[in-house]
Amino acid sequence: MTTLSGAFFGVIHRDLSIAMRHRGDLLNPLFFFLIVVTLVPLGISPEPARLAAMAPGMIWISALLATLLALDNLFQADFADGSLVHLMLSPQPLWLLVLAKIIAHWLVTGLPVVLFSPLLGLMLSLPEAGFLPLLLGLTLGTAVFSLLGAVGAALTVALHKGSVLLSLLVMPLYVPVLIFGTSAVQRAVDGMSYGGVMAMLAAASAFTLLIAPFAAAGALKVGING
Amino acid sequence: MTTLSGAFFGVIHRDLSIAMRHRGDLLNPLFFFLIVVTLVPLGISPEPARLAAMAPGMIWISALLATLLALDNLFQADFADGSLVHLMLSPQPLWLLVLAKIIAHWLVTGLPVVLFSPLLGLMLSLPEAGFLPLLLGLTLGTAVFSLLGAVGAALTVALHKGSVLLSLLVMPLYVPVLIFGTSAVQRAVDGMSYGGVMAMLAAASAFTLLIAPFAAAGALKVGING
Amino acid sequence: MSSQALLEFQALTFERDDWPLFSDLSGAIKVGEILQITGPNGCGKTTLLHILATIQPINVGTLRWKGSDISQCHQSYLADVAFIGHKPGLKLSLTPRENLQWLSKLQPLNRCTSAEALARIGLAGFEDVPCYTLSAGQLRRAALAVLCMTQARLWLLDEPLTALDVQGIADLETLLLAHVEQGGAVALSSHQALTNPAVRTLALDAMAEAEL
Amino acid sequence: MSSQALLEFQALTFERDDWPLFSDLSGAIKVGEILQITGPNGCGKTTLLHILATIQPINVGTLRWKGSDISQCHQSYLADVAFIGHKPGLKLSLTPRENLQWLSKLQPLNRCTSAEALARIGLAGFEDVPCYTLSAGQLRRAALAVLCMTQARLWLLDEPLTALDVQGIADLETLLLAHVEQGGAVALSSHQALTNPAVRTLALDAMAEAEL
Amino acid sequence: MWQWFHKLGSPRWFYHISGKFLPWLALASVVLIVTGVVWGLAFAPQDARQGNSFRIIYIHVPASFLALAGYYVMAAAGAVGMIWKMKLADMVMVAAAPLGAALTFIALFTGAVWGKPTWGTYWIWDARITSMLVLLFLYIGIIALSRSFSTRETSARACAILALVGTVNIPIIYKSVDWWYTLHQPATIKMTGAPSMHPDMFKPLLVMILGFYCFYALVLLLNTRTEILLRESRTTWVKELAEPK
Ligand code: HEM
Ligand SMILES: Nc1ncnc2c1ncn2[C@@H]1O[C@H](COP(=O)(O)OP(=O)(O)OP(=O)(O)O)[C@@H](O)[C@H]1O
Ligand SMILES: Nc1ncnc2c1ncn2[C@@H]1O[C@H](COP(=O)(O)OP(=O)(O)OP(=O)(O)O)[C@@H](O)[C@H]1O
Ligand SMILES: [Mg+2]
Ligand SMILES: [Mg+2]
C-alpha cells in the first residue's frame, strides 16, 4: 500500500526532479528577480541614496512578481498532461499532496530568491541594518506567496487563460504580506524595532499554512471541471 | 485562392475574437498594470513627491511587465493546439502572419496600457508636462516590446518552460526602450526638450518593425521542432 | 443486483447546463467482466467514465462501491481503482521509469517493478529516455504500463486502444483478460471491437445525435 | 518515376541526434492513390509525415513536388497540400464555424461553405458551440471538416481515424475516395485497415523495435 | 573558394587542425599570463591613491575586454552558421557562450571587489557596469536557451537567432546606457582612464591582455572540440578516435 509520507515526499521529489531536468528552471525565477531589480535603476535613478530608499519595496515587489510568474506552472502543467487526475485520484488526502507541490514550488522559486536577496540589497545600496529583516521577512513572505498562489492556481487550472487572470486573483491577497515585509525592513533601516511586524508576518504565514492547502485542494476539485 | 491581405486580417481577426471570447483577457494586462502600480505606493512610499519622482519609471516598468506576462500566450497556445502548424503551412509568407499576430497582441495588451497610462500618471502624481511624452513613448515602446517579445516567444514555443525563460531572453533587449521612454518623460517633467529622445525611440521602433517579423518567423521555424 | 457487482450506478442523470446527456442510466460493473462502453461520438462515454471515477460530480443518481454508497467509502474506492483517461498523465520531461516510480507513491502499484512493467508493455529499451521523445503510441504504452503494476480491482480506461499498433492492442487485451480472470473488472470506452470473450457492451444512446 | 507522381521522396535519411530513424527511404505519392503508412509504434510515421509537410527539415535526401525540387516551389507546394496532424489545430474557444472561417483565410478552402462541410462530417447542430465543449471524436470531425472544403491536391493525415466512431470512419473513407477519384492523392498513417480499394501501403521498418 | 569553405566547415578537419594548435596556444597563454601576473603583482609600482588594491586591474581589465569581444565572437559565429548553414560555426557559438558568461562574471566580480576599497561600496550603477550586467543577462539567456532544446542542431540555430538579435541590440544598449548615465549625472567617482596610467603599470597589463586573448582562444578551441565530439559521436571518425590504438 501507499503511505502518507511516501506520497508526500514522492510528489516533492517528482517536482524537484522535473525542475532539475530543465536545469535552467531552477535558476530562472532568480534571474527574473535580478532583472527586475536591474530595471529599477535604469528606469528610475542610479543614485545610491534614492535607490536605498526604494530598495526594500523594490526587492519585495520583484520577489512577489518572480513567485507569481512561476505560479501558473504549479497545476497547469499537471492538468495539461493529465497527471493532475492521478494526484486527485490518489487515496492519500489531496491537501497533503497539494502541500507537497507547494513546498516543491517554494524550494524552486522562493528559496533561491531568499538566498540571493542580500546580493540585491547590496546592489540597491540597502543599509546594513536592513539585511536581517529582509532575509527573515522574505523567507516567511515567499512561503505565503506560494501558499496563497496555489489557491489561485488551482481555481484557474482548467481555464486556458494564461497567467494574467491568476495574477489578478492573487495579487490583492499578497498586499498585506508586502506591507508587513517592507515595513519590517524599513523600520530596521530607520533604527526602530521590527519585532512586532515580523511577528505579524509570522502569524500570517502560520495561518496561511493552516488553511491554504485545504483551500487549494477544494479549489482543485472545483477547478478541474472548468 | 487566399490573398495576402485576407490572411493578414484573418489572423488579426481570429486573435482578437479569441481575446473577446474570454472577455476578461482584454482587461487582464490592464489590471495587472494597475495592480503593479498600486503595489508601489504600498511597498515604497505613499508620499506624492516621492511617487512623482518614481512615476515615469514605475509606469514604464509595469507596462513592460504587463506585456511580458501576456507574451507567452502569443505562440504557445497556438502550438499546444496544433493551429501553429496551419499558420506555418499557409502559402502566405510566414513573417506577414507573424506580424498579424504581433499586431493583435499589441492591440490586446499594449494599446489598453497606453490608453490608461494617463490615469496611472494621475494616481502617481506625475506632473502635467509628463503626460504627452508618456503617451507617445508608451505607444512606440509597447510596440517594440511586442515585436521583440515575439522573437523570444517564437524561440521558446515548444519548450514547455513557462514564461520565465522567455522573460530572461527578452528583458535585456527591452533595456534601451525603457531608458529612452523614461528619460523622455523625465526630461519633459524637468522642462527640457524631449524631441531627440522620442526620435530615437521612434527610430528604434521603426528598425525593430523591420527586422522583428522576419526574425520571429525564422525563430518559429526553428522553435517548433523543440 | 448480483453480489458480484463491484461498482453499481443507479439512475444516473447527467446534464450540462440545459443539455441532458443521459438520464436514468443504471448498470453495474461486475467481477470478471470487461464492460465496453460504446456509442457514437459525443454520446457521453468520457463523461460517464469521469463520473465513475468521481472526477465529475453527478447531478442525480447514486454510485455504490461493493454495496455501499461511494461517499461513505471514497478513500478505499480510490485505493482500488485505476483510471487512465484521454491524456496520458505522464510528465513529459521525466522518463517512463521515473513516471511509474512517482505514480507508485500515489497508488498501490507493486505487482511488479517498473522495468518489468515497461518490458511487458513493449517499451524495453525506452525506460530511461525522456517521455517527450516518445511517439504517440509509445507514450500510450507508457501510460498503460501502470496497469501491469496496479493492484486496483477496477480499471477505468478511456479509449485505451488509441494510437496503439496491432501488437500493442494484442498486449493490452492479454493484460485485460488476465486481470478479469483474477477477479478484477474493467470498464473501457472504445470504438474498436475487442476480441475478448469477457466483453459485455453498454451502448449509450446517442441523444446528442438523435436530437439532430 | 511515373509521370503521375505528385510528391516524390528520394533517399530520405532521418536521424535524431544519434538515433537513425530511417535511412535511404524512397517512394512517391501518385495521383489517385491513398498511401497508407503503416508500421509499429515509434517507427517514424509521424516524423515522415512531418517531413513530407516540410515541418521537419530533412537531414539527407530530396523531396520533389510535381517533378521539381521542393525548395524551388515551396509556396505553390504549400498552396496545394492539406496537413492534419495528431493535434486538431482548432482554437478551442472558437466555434467550429469560426475555426473554419479563419483557416480559409490561410488555405484555399472554398469547395463549399463551412456549414456544408460541418454537416457532411456529421457536426450539424454543433456549428456554433465553442470547441472546448466538443467530445474527442467531435473535435476530430471538426478538424477533418477542412478536407471537405480544401482544394489542395495532396492530403497528409496523421492517424485521422483516432477517436472517430464507426460512422465517422465511413464518412471519412467516402471523402478520401471522392478525393482520389478526382485526381487527388492522400498519404495517411493509421493502425487500422482501410476498406478503400485505392489504398497502397508503405510499411516502415521498425528500426527502433528491431534493435531491442 | 567553396572548396576551402566547405573544408573549414567540416568538423572533422577542424578537429584535426585545431589539435595541432592546441599545445602552442597553451604554451603561449601560460607564459604570457605567468609573466603578466608576476610582473603586475610583484614588480609594477604601487598606485599613488589606491595602494596595492589597484593590482586587481590585471585581471579585471583583460576579463572585461574579452567578455565584450566574446559576445561578438559568439554572434559572428552564429551569423555564419545561420547564413551559410555551417555546422562548425554553430558549434563555436555554443562553445563561446559559457566562456563569455564566465568572463563577464569575473569582470563583474573583480570590479565589485575592487569597488569596496576604492568607492566604499561593492556596487554602483555606473554606465559601464550596468551594460556589463545586461551583457551577463544576454549570455545567460543564450545559455539557458541552448540547454532547453532536445536536439543540438535546433538548439544551435535558435541560439544563433537570439545572438543575432542581441548583436543588433548591443550597440544600442551600450549607447543608451551611456547616455542614461550622463543624463542622471550622479555625483560619483569616475573610473581611472587607461591613458593616464603609468607606463610601468600599463606594460604588464598589456601582457595580461594578450595572455587572456590566448587563453580565451585556447578554451574556446577546447570547448568547440568537446562540442564536435558530442555532436559527431556516431560518425565513424569519432568512433575511431575513441578506440584505443
Ligand atoms: C562591478 C564593477 C565593475 C565592472 C562591471 C566594471 C567593468 C569594466 C569594463 C566593462 C571595463 C572595460 C571597458 C572597455 O572595454 O572599454 C572596465 C575597465 C576598467 N575598469 Fe572597471 N568595472 C567595475 C569596477 C571597477 C572599479 C571599482 C575600478 C577602479 C576604481 C575599475 C577600473 C577600471 C579600469 C582602470 C579599467 C580599464 C581602463 C579603461 O578602459 O577605462 N573598474 N571595467
Ligand atoms: N523530439 C524527439 N526527440 C527524440 N526522439 C524523438 C522525438 N520525437 C520522436 N522521437 C522518436 O522518434 C521515433 C519515431 O517517432 P514517430 O512519432 O515518428 O513514430 P510513429 O511512427 O508516428 O509512432 P506512433 O505509431 O506511435 O504514432 C520514436 O522512436 C520516438 O522515440
Ligand atoms: N465542458 C463541456 N461543456 C459542455 N458540453 C460538453 C463539455 N464536455 C463535453 N460536452 C458535451 O458532452 C457530450 C459528451 O461528451 P463526451 O466527451 O462524454 O463524449 P464521448 O462519448 O466520450 O465522445 P467521443 O466518442 O467523441 O470521445 C458531447 O456532446 C459534448 O459536446
Ligand atoms: Mg471520449
Ligand atoms: Mg505517430
Side-chain angles (χ1 to χ4, degrees):
Chain A
M1 285 305 300
T2 62
T3 63
L4 216 73
S5 66
F8 184 73
F9 291 110
V11 172
I12 295 187
H13 178 249
R14 180 195 73 147
D15 280 10
L16 290 185
S17 21
I18 294 171
M20 285 285 182
R21 205 52 47 88
H22 314 138
R23 247 164 265 144
D25 263 16
L26 274 180
L27 298 175
N28 283 347
L30 190 61
F31 280 112
F32 173 77
F33 186 45
L34 268 170
I35 292 178
V36 173
V37 174
T38 319
L39 292 182
V40 171
L42 286 175
I44 299 174
S45 159
E47 283 165 49
R50 285 185 63 191
L51 282 178
M54 290 189 295
M58 280 322 305
I59 294 180
W60 266 91
I61 292 177
S62 40
L64 187 156
L65 292 175
T67 321
L68 205 60
L69 273 186
L71 211 58
D72 58 329
N73 248 348
L74 183 53
F75 298 117
Q76 187 84 64
D78 282 6
F79 176 73
D81 61 26
S83 60
L84 195 58
V85 166
H86 285 306
L87 224 60
M88 301 192 60
L89 293 185
S90 167
Q92 304 300 337
L94 184 59
W95 65 265
L96 195 85
L97 305 179
V98 166
L99 182 62
K101 278 195 76 71
I102 296 174
I103 290 176
H105 178 260
W106 183 78
L107 287 175
V108 175
T109 61
L111 187 62
V113 160
V114 171
L115 292 180
F116 273 67
S117 59
L119 179 66
L120 296 172
L122 268 184
M123 291 175 69
L124 294 184
S125 325
L126 181 72
E128 255 170 52
F131 282 86
L132 186 65
L134 184 68
L135 262 177
L136 278 179
L138 276 179
T139 312
L140 294 168
T142 49
V144 177
F145 290 161
S146 290
L147 284 161
L148 286 179
V151 182
L155 280 174
T156 54
V157 67
L159 300 183
H160 308 276
K161 284 271 187 148
S163 48
V164 200
L165 174 65
L166 176 56
S167 317
L168 206 60
L169 284 182
V170 299
M171 273 237 201
L173 302 177
Y174 285 179
V175 165
V177 178
L178 182 74
I179 293 178
F180 290 142
T182 50
S183 62
V185 184
Q186 200 57 60
R187 290 177 72 95
V189 169
D190 297 348
M192 292 190 274
S193 87
Y194 58 87
V197 191
M198 199 57 78
M200 280 199 270
L201 200 54
S205 18
F207 182 65
T208 327
L209 186 61
L210 277 182
I211 58 159
F214 296 99
L220 259 191
K221 283 183 190 151
V222 177
I224 199 169
N225 288 314
Chain B
M1 285 305 301
T2 62
T3 62
L4 215 73
S5 66
F8 184 76
F9 291 109
V11 172
I12 294 187
H13 179 251
R14 181 196 73 146
D15 280 9
L16 290 185
S17 24
I18 294 171
M20 284 287 184
R21 204 53 47 87
H22 315 138
R23 243 162 266 141
D25 263 17
L26 272 181
L27 299 175
N28 282 346
L30 193 59
F31 277 116
F32 173 80
F33 186 45
L34 271 171
I35 292 181
V36 173
V37 175
T38 327
L39 289 181
V40 172
L42 290 174
I44 298 175
S45 157
E47 284 166 49
R50 284 186 63 191
L51 281 180
M54 290 188 295
M58 280 321 306
I59 295 179
W60 265 93
I61 291 176
S62 39
L64 187 156
L65 291 175
T67 320
L68 205 59
L69 274 185
L71 210 59
D72 58 329
N73 248 351
L74 182 54
F75 298 117
Q76 188 86 63
D78 282 5
F79 176 74
D81 61 26
S83 57
L84 194 58
V85 167
H86 285 307
L87 224 60
M88 299 189 61
L89 293 185
S90 166
Q92 304 301 337
L94 184 58
W95 65 266
L96 195 85
L97 306 179
V98 167
L99 182 62
K101 280 195 75 72
I102 297 175
I103 290 175
H105 179 260
W106 182 80
L107 288 175
V108 175
T109 63
L111 187 62
V113 160
V114 171
L115 293 180
F116 274 70
S117 58
L119 180 65
L120 296 171
L122 270 183
M123 290 170 64
L124 295 184
S125 330
L126 182 73
E128 249 172 57
F131 281 87
L132 186 64
L134 185 68
L135 263 178
L136 277 181
L138 276 177
T139 311
L140 293 169
T142 50
V144 177
F145 290 161
S146 292
L147 284 162
L148 283 180
V151 181
L155 284 173
T156 55
V157 67
L159 300 182
H160 308 276
K161 284 272 188 151
S163 47
V164 199
L165 174 65
L166 176 55
S167 316
L168 195 63
L169 293 185
V170 299
M171 271 230 200
L173 305 178
Y174 284 179
V175 165
V177 177
L178 182 72
I179 291 176
F180 292 141
T182 52
S183 57
V185 184
Q186 199 59 60
R187 289 176 75 97
V189 169
D190 296 349
M192 291 189 275
S193 87
Y194 58 86
V197 191
M198 200 57 79
M200 280 198 268
L201 200 54
S205 16
F207 185 62
T208 326
L209 186 62
L210 275 183
I211 59 159
F214 296 98
L220 259 190
K221 284 185 191 150
V222 175
I224 200 168
N225 288 314
Chain C
M1 295 268 156
S2 122
S3 65
Q4 288 175 299
L6 270 184
L7 184 68
E8 296 158 80
F9 43 97
Q10 280 159 1
L12 286 191
T13 295
F14 185 81
E15 31 198 41
R16 265 211 190 77
D17 289 336
D18 44 331
W19 178 283
L21 208 53
F22 35 76
S23 54
D24 212 25
L25 186 74
S26 297
I29 306 170
K30 305 214 185 80
V31 172
E33 82 172 1
I34 299 176
L35 183 73
Q36 181 176 10
I37 303 167
T38 61
N41 290 139
C43 68
K45 301 179 293 298
T46 298
T47 312
L48 180 59
L49 283 168
H50 279 201
I51 289 175
L52 297 184
T54 67
I55 296 167
Q56 177 96 52
I58 27 176
N59 303 20
V60 183
T62 49
L63 278 181
R64 302 176 74 79
W65 172 243
K66 293 180 180 166
S68 48
D69 195 278
I70 205 116
S71 54
Q72 249 75 63
C73 56
H74 195 216
Q75 294 297 85
S76 72
Y77 173 62
L78 289 184
D80 233 2
V81 67
F83 174 86
I84 299 178
H86 270 300
K87 298 170 188 165
L90 304 171
K91 300 309 292 181
L92 291 183
S93 51
L94 299 181
T95 66
R97 191 199 300 274
E98 287 170 325
N99 267 300
L100 290 176
Q101 265 158 5
W102 87 265
L103 279 176
S104 69
K105 300 280 167 50
L106 292 186
Q107 295 162 5
L109 306 183
N110 37 15
R111 280 236 313 270
C112 65
T113 68
S114 49
E116 283 163 14
L118 289 170
R120 276 177 61 188
I121 206 82
L123 274 186
F126 290 90
E127 298 93 348
D128 296 317
V129 304
C131 282
Y132 61 75
T133 65
L134 296 180
S135 76
Q138 290 170 333
L139 198 64
R140 178 135 299 260
R141 283 165 189 247
L144 293 174
V146 164
L147 299 181
C148 303
M149 299 169 69
T150 186
Q151 295 195 318
R153 284 190 74 186
L154 177 63
W155 295 359
L156 301 173
L157 314 175
D158 199 1
E159 305 209 23
L161 308 187
T162 301
L164 288 184
D165 59 19
V166 184
Q167 183 59 42
I169 294 179
D171 289 350
L172 180 63
E173 291 217 47
T174 321
L175 209 62
L176 296 182
L177 197 61
H179 177 61
V180 295
E181 275 170 1
Q182 286 165 23
V186 178
L188 55 80
S189 73
S190 179
H191 297 293
Q192 280 170 268
L194 294 182
T195 58
N196 217 304
V199 172
R200 184 165 67 88
T201 44
L202 170 75
L204 285 188
D205 279 322
M207 293 225 177
E209 304 271 308
E211 193 223 37
L212 304 175
Chain D
M1 296 265 160
S2 119
S3 64
Q4 287 176 300
L6 268 184
L7 184 68
E8 294 159 80
F9 43 99
Q10 278 158 3
L12 287 191
T13 296
F14 185 80
E15 31 199 44
R16 267 209 188 78
D17 283 338
D18 44 331
W19 181 282
L21 208 53
F22 35 77
S23 53
D24 213 24
L25 186 75
S26 296
I29 306 171
K30 306 210 186 82
V31 171
E33 83 173 356
I34 298 176
L35 183 71
Q36 182 177 9
I37 302 168
T38 63
N41 290 139
C43 67
K45 301 180 292 298
T46 298
T47 312
L48 179 59
L49 282 167
H50 279 198
I51 289 175
L52 296 185
T54 65
I55 296 168
Q56 176 96 52
I58 26 175
N59 303 18
V60 183
T62 48
L63 279 180
R64 302 177 74 80
W65 172 245
K66 293 180 180 166
S68 50
D69 195 277
I70 203 111
S71 53
Q72 248 76 65
C73 55
H74 195 216
Q75 295 296 84
S76 73
Y77 174 61
L78 290 182
D80 232 2
V81 67
F83 174 85
I84 299 177
H86 270 297
K87 297 170 187 166
L90 304 170
K91 299 310 292 179
L92 291 184
S93 49
L94 299 181
T95 65
R97 192 200 299 273
E98 287 169 326
N99 267 299
L100 290 177
Q101 264 156 7
W102 86 264
L103 278 176
S104 67
K105 299 280 168 51
L106 292 186
Q107 295 161 6
L109 305 184
N110 37 16
R111 281 237 311 271
C112 64
T113 70
S114 49
E116 282 164 15
L118 288 169
R120 274 175 64 188
I121 205 82
L123 274 186
F126 289 90
E127 296 93 347
D128 295 317
V129 304
C131 282
Y132 62 78
T133 66
L134 296 181
S135 77
Q138 290 169 333
L139 198 63
R140 177 135 300 261
R141 283 165 189 246
L144 293 174
V146 164
L147 299 182
C148 304
M149 299 169 69
T150 187
Q151 294 196 319
R153 282 191 75 186
L154 177 63
W155 295 359
L156 301 173
L157 314 175
D158 198 0
E159 306 209 23
L161 308 187
T162 301
L164 288 185
D165 60 18
V166 183
Q167 184 59 43
I169 294 178
D171 289 351
L172 180 62
E173 291 216 48
T174 321
L175 209 61
L176 295 183
L177 198 62
H179 177 60
V180 295
E181 275 171 1
Q182 285 164 24
V186 179
L188 54 81
S189 74
S190 178
H191 297 293
Q192 281 171 265
L194 294 180
T195 56
N196 217 306
V199 171
R200 183 166 66 91
T201 45
L202 170 74
L204 284 187
D205 279 323
M207 292 224 178
E209 304 270 308
E211 192 224 37
L212 304 176
Chain E
M1 165 68 191
W2 179 246
Q3 272 295 319
W4 172 84
F5 203 70
H6 192 71
K7 213 172 164 192
L8 191 67
S10 146
R12 179 182 182 178
W13 177 84
F14 180 83
Y15 188 87
H16 287 302
I17 287 296
S18 66
K20 302 207 173 93
F21 284 125
L22 275 181
W24 298 107
L25 264 179
L27 188 71
S29 42
V30 166
V31 167
L32 284 170
I33 289 179
V34 167
T35 317
V37 165
V38 173
W39 191 355
L41 292 192
F43 297 102
Q46 258 195 16
D47 187 84
R49 278 181 302 128
Q50 304 180 23
N52 273 324
S53 72
F54 96 95
R55 294 186 196 278
I56 209 168
I57 201 175
Y58 296 120
I59 299 189
H60 173 76
V61 171
S64 306
F65 270 30
L66 277 165
L68 254 178
Y71 193 90
Y72 284 104
V73 170
M74 183 181 74
V80 171
M82 213 168 70
I83 297 166
W84 289 288
K85 303 245 178 323
M86 190 168 159
K87 263 182 166 179
L88 179 65
D90 283 350
M91 297 181 195
V92 171
M93 184 203 61
V94 172
L99 180 57
L103 284 167
T104 315
F105 182 78
I106 291 174
L108 283 172
F109 187 80
T110 52
V113 170
W114 196 0
K116 191 65 181 176
T118 322
W119 302 334
T121 171
Y122 286 107
W123 188 265
I124 193 168
W125 293 95
D126 170 88
R128 257 194 311 192
I129 300 181
T130 307
S131 26
M132 209 64 181
L133 188 66
V134 174
L135 186 67
L136 181 67
F137 290 145
L138 281 169
Y139 271 127
I140 288 170
I142 288 194
I143 295 172
L145 188 70
S146 74
R147 301 226 166 137
S148 304
F149 283 89
S150 54
T151 52
R152 291 175 181 279
E153 278 82 2
T154 26
S155 161
R157 236 167 290 148
C159 290
I161 292 177
L162 186 65
L164 271 183
V165 175
T167 323
V168 176
N169 264 274
I170 273 213
I172 308 180
I173 294 177
Y174 266 67
K175 268 270 151 312
S176 66
V177 171
D178 242 0
W179 181 76
W180 156 79
Y181 179 74
T182 42
L183 176 85
H184 282 279
Q185 293 168 332
T188 43
I189 325 92
K190 286 247 162 104
M191 283 192 194
T192 44
S196 66
M197 213 183 242
H198 192 279
D200 286 346
M201 294 178 179
F202 192 62
K203 278 177 205 154
L205 182 60
L206 268 184
V207 174
M208 278 304 273
I209 291 177
L210 267 181
F212 260 65
Y213 266 104
C214 290
F215 179 72
Y216 179 88
L218 176 69
V219 180
L220 185 62
L221 272 189
L222 285 174
N223 276 1
T224 311
R225 285 161 60 91
T226 317
E227 186 68 24
I228 290 176
L229 290 187
L230 279 175
R231 272 227 230 160
E232 308 267 298
S233 56
R234 64 191 131 73
T235 59
T236 40
W237 71 270
V238 173
K239 286 190 182 130
E240 275 164 19
L241 267 184
E243 273 167 13
K245 304 249 162 70

